[in-house]
């Protein structure tokens, strides 16, 4: 009986390696069903040099007053299926370098709480150099560091939640190989040039008062209102917010009389005087706008959906070309698109109509 595991004995080393690749490919597909796998592999076809910042992106940095060594910050938005890369420019503040469409994320809006729930995380994370993986099964990747201190204290479970290539997700954020390669090169350069770790802010959506009102009836709204405090701190200052955890929540840009809180579940200790009263006032004004929006608008009716989201540009290609061709466009590994039927669903269509957000076909060339 023939079998993929049948091995001809003899000195055909190349044939043996080919067999290993075939077996590994089958194993990877099986692994995708149970979680985001990003461990190093010892196969020849996964051994590669880490990607470098392309010349076009270096030119864009120069135009925006940035240099490759300057610190970096990442923001992720589920509803919009977009990932932003920010870098410090000549003003000493963060400016947007580039926005990348995400091909796939899994779960639904809301935080990740348990291993196997397919939820992509929401919250504030910090990525150090040791969390980068240049030999990921999904091209290259970096680990978000879920669960963070707050999530661990709350008993949330899960591991290996990544930003990676290929259009497949079991709780991760997946981009094109080209996109994640650029991001990887940019963050790697910053980390090797003195930045100790970079911050990742993962949100359910762009946290405008209008978007908050669209989701007013969601049970996660109290958590999202906390995330918005950090979102606003960055939006108003273009500086990375300082993140503390106490009282079972994130606390931003706050100094405490006795130093940083130790126990994320205990009540927050006494705070010192705010270092920036003007910022506090601006955030309070934004909070009033949100409260007014929540009081004045009915929540949006969302289309029921099975699993996760996909940027409209990729959904358009999926409809037009099918899952196999989309997978080939996205990644040289040609990893299968995860749950393509669910990816075709568009739970945010009505919200995009109301907010005028981008429609299908936006700026993706597939190169």
């Amino acid at each position: 009986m023939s079998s993929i595991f049948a091995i001809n004995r003899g000195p055909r080393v190349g044939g043996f390696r080919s067999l290993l690749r075939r077996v590994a490919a089958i194993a990877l597909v099986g692994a995708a069903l149970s979680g985001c796998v990003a461990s190093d592999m010892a196969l020849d076809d996964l051994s590669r040099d880490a990607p470098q910042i392309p010349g076009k992106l270096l030119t864009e940095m120069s135009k925006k007053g940035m240099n490759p060594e300057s610190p970096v910050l990442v923001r992720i938005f589920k509803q919009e299926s977009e990932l932003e890369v920010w870098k410090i420019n000549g003003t000493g503040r963060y400016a947007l370098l580039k926005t990348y469409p995400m091909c796939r994320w899994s779960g639904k809006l809301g935080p990740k709480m348990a291993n196997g729930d397919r939820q992509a995380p929401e919250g504030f994370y910090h990525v150090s150099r040791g969390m980068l993986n240049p030999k990921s099964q999904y091209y290259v990747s970096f680990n978000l560091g879920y669960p963070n201190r707050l999530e661990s204290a709350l008993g949330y479970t899960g591991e290996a939640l990544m930003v990676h290539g290929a259009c497949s997700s079991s709780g991760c954020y997946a981009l094109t190989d080209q996109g994640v390669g650029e991001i990887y090169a940019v963050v790697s350069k910053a980390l090797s040039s003195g930045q100790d770790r970079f911050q990742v802010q993962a949100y359910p959506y762009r946290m405008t008062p209008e978007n908050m009102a669209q989701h007013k009836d969601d049970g996660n709204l109290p958590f999202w209102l906390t995330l918005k405090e950090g979102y606003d701190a960055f939006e108003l200052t273009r500086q990375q917010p300082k993140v503390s955890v106490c009282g079972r929540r994130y606390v931003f840009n706050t100094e405490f009389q006795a130093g940083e809180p130790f126990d994320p579940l205990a009540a927050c200790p006494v705070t010192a005087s705010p270092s920036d009263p003007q910022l506090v006032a601006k955030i309070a004004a934004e909070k009033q706008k949100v409260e007014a929006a929540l009081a004045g608008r009915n929540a949006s009716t969302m289309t029921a959906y099975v699993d996760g989201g996909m940027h409209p540009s990729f959904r358009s290609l999926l409809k037009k070309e099918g899952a196999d061709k989309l997978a080939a466009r996205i990644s040289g590994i040609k990893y299968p698109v995860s749950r393509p039927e669910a990816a075709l669903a568009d739970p945010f269509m009505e919200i995009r109509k109301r907010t005028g957000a981008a429609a299908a076909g936006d700026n993706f060339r597939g190169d």
Side-chain angles (χ1 to χ4, degrees), residues 44 46 66 104 198 203 233 260 280 285 361:
D44 290 346
L46 292 179
M66 306 166 181
R104 202 73 175 93
F198 67 91
Y203 297 108
E260 280 298 296
V280 173

Side-chain angles (χ1 to χ4, degrees), residues 253-327:
N253 293 337
T254 301
E255 299 297 331
F256 299 90
Q257 290 184 4
E260 280 298 296
F262 176 75
D263 185 355
L265 304 183
C268 291
V270 177
T271 62
S273 298
S275 57
D276 189 348
Q278 289 185 341
L279 175 59
V280 173
K282 289 179 180 179
I283 291 177
E286 182 67 16
K287 184 177 180 180
Q288 290 180 346
K289 293 179 184 178
V290 172
E291 291 173 349
L294 292 174
R297 174 167 298 188
N298 293 327
S300 171
T301 300
M302 289 180 57
T303 305
Y305 65 108
V306 178
D307 184 24
M310 172 180 277
H311 191 270
S313 57
F314 297 121
R315 185 177 295 110
S316 178
L317 288 171
L318 180 59
K319 290 179 181 178
K320 180 180 178 181
E321 300 182 354
D324 291 344
K325 289 185 177 180
L326 177 60

